[in-house]
Structures are given as structure tokens and as C-alpha cells.
């Protein structure tokens, strides 16, 4: 008979192997179906400076800086008490010209694979360590002035860099990607670069990358606590960017364990702002808040998301879930989630209490269901069905339609099929497209 400790160890090992990822070069995600439409061209109005295979990403991180064997900057899984801001260059296609990349971005039958490579990483500025020293003065909390001044200087330098990049696009919007468990700095940069490319290179792409990627058996537990460590920093970043007058909208796209980081930060900001009599949606400028394959206990999520009314803190609050997500299935076994986890959330687990809440207020809150393996979708780069938001051309199309075209679910241009309440289904071949002439 298998002991409880042995069973637990096997589940942890299985999850580590499951989410380890594949070896070899990183290839660009499959082309979203929406880009197969020959009547649309998302790239023709681009600023000429953006018409290149190299993508310049901004990043904010509380990973500890390191040096590789050649003395170049890199970031590992160590935790830093200070936030760093910089940019990284991702090349979409080694030896590809811009025209070659466009051709590869409009077909599922690529003549040659598009390999992603990470170029130079440049850290522009590092803020002071947090939290700041503080004291109670005349009944008020006062932080140490020199630390506050250093933080203000960091924020100003950050803003000036963003302004320069915003000048290249008519849409003054920031797209922030928050990665999940065991993702490296490189993984996060690749995911944001290809996503930003397919949403039409609009706004400014940014990666918020936290100290994940600890190797070995205890990688999941280390990364889980790193995700808790980073919440204070993400909260600081969202509050900071939303305060820049040059920024009109902020979009957050979080994946896997990163969804818990995003939810926790948004919850704390929401409570803070409502206590001050402010509208979180207006103050934070959150337009889309997307959590894909959420690695969160369902009952915990209901308390945090519904209990603290988080959907009202963004114009559009979207969850992507799949019953075929094996990684979430392992997490459910590991944590013995009584009602399951949000990543496999569907109308079948909605009880009377939750149904009453969903029926009362459902304007900007939606759950988009994707049937992967059971729906005939198999992608060799994601055999466990956890990164479908980028690997399934139907799901990535829905993300593009939401972010690029600002469409609500169920509209003619974003024809999701309603299942029940706030639940929508991505049908096979979604969306219907006209082939190029």
C-alpha cells in the first residue's frame, strides 16, 4: 500500500516534470486563425521603426541579477528586495527579413520554423529596496524621506522611457504579461514578444517577471512562495504605471501561477482604493484583466474575486479555462482542492449560491472554455494542454480579438458560443475566416 508521503512525492514529481517544458529552440507560437483572413492586415499601419523582426520589450523584475559565463546580464530565480526596470530584445526569426516574418505570420504552413532568440538585456535603473523604513509621526505613517526620493527618481526615469516608446504607437496602452511556475526570464520575454506581435504591435509590451524557475523537486514550493513574495512589487508597479498621465489603458495578461500573483495584487489595490473612496477601474486604468489557465483553488478564487468584487476593477475581466489542462489536474491532486481549481472551471461546478451571484451581475465578467484534447486539438509543444492561450490558434485568436479590437464575447466579430450564464465556448475553427486570395 502506498504511503501518503510517497503519494505526495509522486504528485509533486509529476507536476515538476509536467511543467518543466520541452528542450530545443523556442519556436514562435502557431499563427492565430484570425491572421489567416486575407482581408485583414494588422501590420500595414505600423510605425516604420516597428517593422522589424526584433521586438523591444520593457521588463520589470524582482529577480536577482546575475552574470553568465561571458559576463553578460541575466536574471535567475533568486529574489531581490528591489525592483529593476529595463528592456530586452527578442528576435522573431533568425536570419528572417520583415517580409519573411509577415509571411510566416499569415499561415499555419510555414516554410521554415521561426526560432525565437533573446538578445541584449539592458537594466536601466534599479529602485531602492522595499519596504521603506517608516515611523509614526503625529498620528501618521511617514516613510524615510531619502528612500522616498530615490523611489520617485526611479519612477521618473521609468516614465520617461515609456513615453518614448508610446510615441511610436497611436494607442497609448501598456500590455503587461505575468508568467507562471518554472518560467525563466527568457520564457516570459518570448511569450510577450510573440503575443504582442500577433495583436498587431500596438501599445507598449511589458513583462513583469518574478523569481520563478527554482530547479529540482522543491521547485513548485519555492516558486509558490516566490509568487507570494512578489505581490507587493506587482502592486507597486500597477499603481505606478496607472499614475502616468501619458498612459490611457493597461491590459494585464497572467498565466498559470502568475494568475494568483495578479489576483492578489489587484485585490489589495482594490481594497486600498475603495477605502479611500476611489473607483479602482478609473484609478488603475485597467481595461482588460485576463487570467489564463489559473492555478488557483476555486473556493479561494470565489472568496477573493467575487467576495471583493474584483471584476468591477477592470472594464473586462476574462478567465480562460480548459477541462483538459493536465497541469491544473495535477495541482488539484496536490492541494486536494475540494471543488477543483479555476483552470478547469466550468458551469458544471456552479452551485446555487454562485449561480445567484453570476445571474445578478455579469456584465463584464466572462469565462471562456476551451476543449483541448477532447476537442481534437493536439500541439506537440504543449502536450499537457496548459499553454493553450498561445498554442491553440482558436484561443489565441480570441485573445487577439479582445486585445486588438476591443470586442466583447458573443458579438458578431467575436462569435463565441454562449453555454450558460457568463460561460462561453470556443467552437472548432474559431473564428470563421476567409482565406487569402
Amino acid at each position: 500500500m502506498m504511503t501518503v508521503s510517497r503519494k505526495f512525492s509522486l504528485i509533486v514529481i509529476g507536476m515538476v516534470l509536467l511543467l518543466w517544458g520541452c528542450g530545443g529552440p523556442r519556436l514562435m507560437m502557431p499563427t492565430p486563425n484570425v491572421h489567416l483572413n486575407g482581408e485583414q492586415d494588422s501590420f500595414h499601419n505600423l510605425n516604420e521603426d516597428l517593422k522589424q523582426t526584433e521586438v523591444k520589450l520593457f521588463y520589470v523584475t524582482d529577480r536577482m541579477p546575475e552574470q553568465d559565463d561571458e559576463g553578460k546580464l541575466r536574471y535567475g530565480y533568486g529574489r531581490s528586495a528591489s525592483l529593476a526596470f529595463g528592456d530586452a530584445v527578442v528576435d522573431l526569426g533568425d536570419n528572417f527579413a520583415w517580409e519573411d516574418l509577415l509571411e510566416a505570420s499569415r499561415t499555419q504552413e510555414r516554410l521554415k520554423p521561426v526560432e525565437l532568440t533573446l538578445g541584449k538585456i539592458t537594466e536601466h535603473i534599479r529602485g531602492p529596496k522595499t519596504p521603506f523604513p517608516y515611523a509614526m509621526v503625529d498620528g501618521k505613517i511617514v516613510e524615510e524621506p531619502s528612500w522616498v526620493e530615490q523611489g520617485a527618481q526611479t519612477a521618473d526615469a521609468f516614465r520617461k522611457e515609456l513615453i518614448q516608446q508610446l510615441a511610436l504607437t497611436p494607442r497609448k496602452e501598456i500590455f503587461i504579461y505575468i508568467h507562471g511556475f518554472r518560467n525563466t526570464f527568457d520564457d516570459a520575454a518570448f511569450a510577450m514578444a510573440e503575443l504582442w506581435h500577433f495583436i498587431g504591435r500596438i501599445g507598449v509590451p511589458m513583462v513583469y517577471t518574478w523569481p520563478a524557475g527554482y530547479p529540482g523537486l522543491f521547485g513548485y514550493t519555492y516558486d509558490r512562495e516566490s509568487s507570494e513574495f512578489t505581490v507587493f512589487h506587482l502592486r507597486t508597479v500597477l499603481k505606478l504605471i496607472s499614475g502616468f498621465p501619458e498612459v490611457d489603458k493597461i491590459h494585464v495578461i497572467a498565466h498559470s501561477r502568475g494568475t494568483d500573483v495578479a489576483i492578489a495584487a489587484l485585490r489589495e489595490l482594490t481594497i486600498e482604493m475603495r477605502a479611500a473612496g476611489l473607483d479602482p477601474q478609473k484609478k488603475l486604468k485597467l481595461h482588460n484583466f485576463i487570467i489564463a489557465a489559473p492555478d488557483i483553488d476555486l473556493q479561494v478564487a470565489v472568496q477573493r474575486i467575487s467576495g471583493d468584487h474584483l471584476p468591477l476593477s477592470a472594464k473586462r475581466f476574462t478567465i480562460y479555462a480548459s477541462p483538459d489542462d493536465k497541469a491544473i489536474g495535477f495541482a488539484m491532486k496536490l492541494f486536494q482542492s475540494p471543488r477543483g481549481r479555476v483552470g478547469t472551471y466550468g458551469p458544471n461546478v456552479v452551485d446555487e449560491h454562485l449561480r445567484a451571484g453570476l445571474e445578478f451581475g455579469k456584465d463584464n465578467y466572462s469565462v471562456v472554455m476551451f476543449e483541448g484534447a477532447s476537442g481534437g486539438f493536439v500541439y506537440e509543444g504543449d502536450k499537457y494542454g496548459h499553454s493553450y492561450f498561445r498554442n491553440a490558434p482558436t484561443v489565441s485568436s480570441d485573445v487577439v480579438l479582445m486585445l486588438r479590437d476591443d470586442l466583447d464575447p458573443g458579438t458578431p466579430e467575436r462569435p463565441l458560443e454562449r453555454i450558460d450564464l457568463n460561460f462561453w465556448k470556443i467552437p472548432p475553427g474559431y473564428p470563421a475566416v476567409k482565406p487569402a486570395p
Side-chain angles (χ1 to χ4, degrees):
M1 182 176 178
M2 186 180 295
T3 65
V4 174
S5 61
R6 177 170 171 75
K7 183 178 180 181
F8 178 83
S9 297
L10 290 175
I11 291 174
V12 173
I13 292 171
M15 189 154 189
V16 169
L17 294 174
L18 192 71
L19 296 178
W20 179 263
C22 302
R26 174 68 177 261
L27 303 182
M28 189 169 75
M29 61 187 275
T31 300
N33 287 342
V34 71
H35 279 279
L36 305 180
N37 191 334
E39 296 183 352
Q40 295 183 1
D41 185 355
S42 298
F43 306 105
H44 71 284
N45 285 328
L46 283 179
N47 186 295
E48 290 300 317
D49 290 341
L50 299 179
K51 292 182 179 180
Q52 51 185 316
T53 62
E54 289 188 342
V55 171
K56 178 183 177 182
L57 297 170
F58 287 107
Y59 69 84
V60 180
T61 187
D62 51 5
R63 292 178 183 266
M64 188 71 72
E66 302 175 350
Q67 288 186 337
D68 63 17
D69 294 338
E70 298 178 355
K72 296 180 180 178
L73 173 65
R74 70 179 182 189
Y75 294 97
Y77 54 80
R79 300 172 190 165
S80 170
S82 60
L83 278 170
F85 163 70
D87 66 67
V89 176
V90 175
D91 194 352
L92 303 181
D94 187 27
N95 297 322
F96 270 52
W98 171 247
E99 291 73 18
D100 299 327
L101 178 59
L102 285 184
E103 183 177 354
S105 303
R106 293 167 176 160
T107 179
Q108 296 291 8
E109 305 293 333
R110 294 169 183 163
L111 297 179
K112 63 177 181 178
V114 182
E115 294 187 10
L116 309 188
T117 55
L118 182 63
K120 187 177 181 181
I121 303 172
T122 305
E123 183 177 300
H124 293 291
I125 192 165
R126 179 169 291 274
K129 291 183 178 181
T130 59
F132 295 172
Y134 63 91
M136 184 69 75
V137 179
D138 296 329
K140 296 182 179 180
I141 296 175
V142 177
E143 294 178 323
E144 208 284 322
S146 65
W147 288 54
V148 173
E149 177 59 26
Q150 187 181 350
Q153 292 174 1
T154 303
D156 188 57
F158 181 24
R159 174 172 166 254
K160 289 177 180 177
E161 292 282 349
L162 285 184
I163 290 173
Q164 292 181 15
Q165 197 67 19
L166 282 169
L168 300 179
T169 172
R171 290 176 59 168
K172 311 307 178 184
E173 304 172 23
I174 308 294
F175 295 83
I176 304 174
Y177 176 69
I178 306 167
H179 61 79
F181 159 70
R182 199 170 281 282
N183 277 195
T184 64
F185 181 96
D186 298 22
D187 293 332
F190 291 150
M192 184 69 251
E194 59 190 4
L195 176 61
W196 184 66
H197 172 69
F198 281 115
I199 63 173
R201 300 186 173 221
I202 55 179
V204 174
M206 182 178 297
V207 174
Y208 181 86
T209 175
W210 50 279
Y214 189 89
L217 177 61
F218 297 102
Y220 188 79
T221 53
Y222 176 92
D223 283 8
R224 182 178 175 84
E225 295 210 329
S226 285
S227 73
E228 295 176 355
F229 161 82
T230 201
V231 169
F232 177 84
H233 286 150
L234 177 58
R235 192 181 75 196
T236 301
V237 171
L238 291 176
K239 193 172 181 180
L240 179 65
I241 297 175
S242 64
F244 296 161
E246 297 83 5
V247 174
D248 292 336
K249 298 176 183 177
I250 297 173
H251 308 268
V252 171
I253 309 101
H255 178 240
S256 189
R257 190 67 206 158
T259 60
D260 194 36
V261 176
I263 289 294
L266 179 59
R267 178 174 179 260
E268 292 179 8
L269 285 170
T270 294
I271 293 171
E272 175 189 337
M273 291 180 179
R274 287 192 181 133
L278 302 173
D279 181 342
Q281 184 183 140
K282 292 181 179 179
K283 191 69 176 177
L284 293 172
K285 302 178 182 177
L286 280 177
H287 198 71
N288 282 294
F289 192 87
I290 301 170
I291 53 175
D295 184 13
I296 311 174
D297 179 276
L298 178 58
Q299 290 175 303
V300 172
V302 170
Q303 296 286 56
R304 291 182 177 179
I305 296 175
S306 297
D308 288 306
H309 318 128
L310 296 194
L312 298 178
S313 296
K315 182 180 183 298
R316 191 181 289 118
F317 192 101
T318 306
I319 298 172
Y320 284 96
S322 171
D324 301 310
D325 190 330
K326 294 183 177 65
I328 298 300
F330 263 85
M332 185 168 64
K333 292 178 181 178
L334 179 63
F335 296 106
Q336 291 296 299
S337 304
R339 294 285 305 283
R341 298 181 82 74
V342 182
T344 54
Y345 184 37
N348 58 305
V349 297
V350 177
D351 58 18
E352 292 183 6
H353 175 253
L354 185 54
R355 172 175 284 273
L358 294 175
E359 288 177 339
F360 183 76
K362 55 185 178 182
D363 291 340
N364 68 331
Y365 171 74
S366 60
V367 180
V368 180
M369 302 293 299
F370 169 65
E371 294 182 356
S374 61
F377 173 78
V378 178
Y379 176 64
E380 61 181 9
D382 185 23
K383 59 183 178 180
Y384 301 114
H386 189 56
S387 294
Y388 52 86
F389 84 101
R390 58 173 293 273
N391 289 331
T394 53
V395 185
S396 60
S397 290
D398 194 58
V399 175
V400 170
L401 291 173
M402 181 172 19
L403 294 178
R404 184 192 68 186
D405 300 336
D406 196 25
L407 297 172
D408 291 323
T411 56
E413 298 84 3
R414 191 182 166 204
L416 294 170
E417 297 179 0
R418 184 186 289 276
I419 302 174
D420 184 25
L421 297 170
N422 306 60
F423 294 89
W424 302 83
K425 177 183 177 180
I426 296 180
Y430 173 89
V433 297
K434 297 180 181 179

